[in-house]
Amino acid sequence: MADKLYSPPTPGRVVDVVPIIRDDRVHPDEHGAYSLDMETGDGIVRSEQGGPGGSQQGSVSFTFPDGQVFDLSFVADADGYKPESSFLPVAPAFPHPIPQFVLDQIEFARQQDAAREKSPSRSYGTPQ
């Protein structure tokens, strides 16, 4: 499907060109600070700013064909990439109940570790 949608233009094939409505960029300065603000004719809006040390923050939004508006904001810094959007899945609240089979596996691993500590090593040591 993607091959048909994104194949290179061929003679006689009509290609829709999406206009760039806004494209404001400030290239990185000597400290690494930069910004990007853009908007396309099909409703995509992106904004991003970065600073010293590689930290970034920004947002992107667009409208799905069914009319829903997708919004995502993010921060990327020394603590990692942290996106926020109502469209992203949410992990279950913690603490949550741990299934018994998981507890059993943890106990089995603990018993194996204890047995390994009691028995002599079966591996060869470094040659002397």
Side-chain angles (χ1 to χ4, degrees):
M1 181 70 168
D3 184 45
K4 293 177 184 172
L5 289 174
Y6 299 106
S7 59
T10 56
R13 180 174 169 221
V14 177
V15 178
D16 291 333
V17 176
V18 178
I20 304 296
I21 296 172
R22 182 170 45 97
D23 187 352
D24 298 323
R25 299 172 192 236
V26 175
H27 294 282
D29 63 16
E30 66 275 3
H31 304 291
Y34 74 95
S35 67
L36 162 71
D37 289 297
M38 64 168 282
E39 182 177 356
T40 63
D42 60 357
I44 297 172
V45 177
R46 180 175 172 199
S47 177
E48 184 177 314
Q49 301 81 39
S55 63
Q56 301 172 334
Q57 61 187 21
S59 63
V60 63
S61 68
F62 59 86
T63 303
F64 286 110
D66 67 2
Q68 291 184 82
V69 176
F70 175 86
D71 286 309
L72 179 129
S73 61
F74 70 90
V75 172
D77 56 20
D79 295 326
Y81 179 73
K82 297 172 287 280
E84 291 185 16
S85 173
S86 61
F87 284 87
L88 296 176
V90 178
F94 194 81
H96 52 77
I98 299 174
Q100 187 59 47
F101 75 90
V102 174
L103 296 172
D104 293 344
Q105 185 64 37
I106 292 169
E107 176 59 19
F108 179 71
R110 187 197 63 73
Q111 290 172 3
Q112 284 185 317
D113 288 345
R116 193 175 304 120
E117 287 176 9
K118 289 180 183 177
S119 66
S121 173
R122 294 185 180 170
S123 63
Y124 293 101
T126 306
Q128 306 239 352

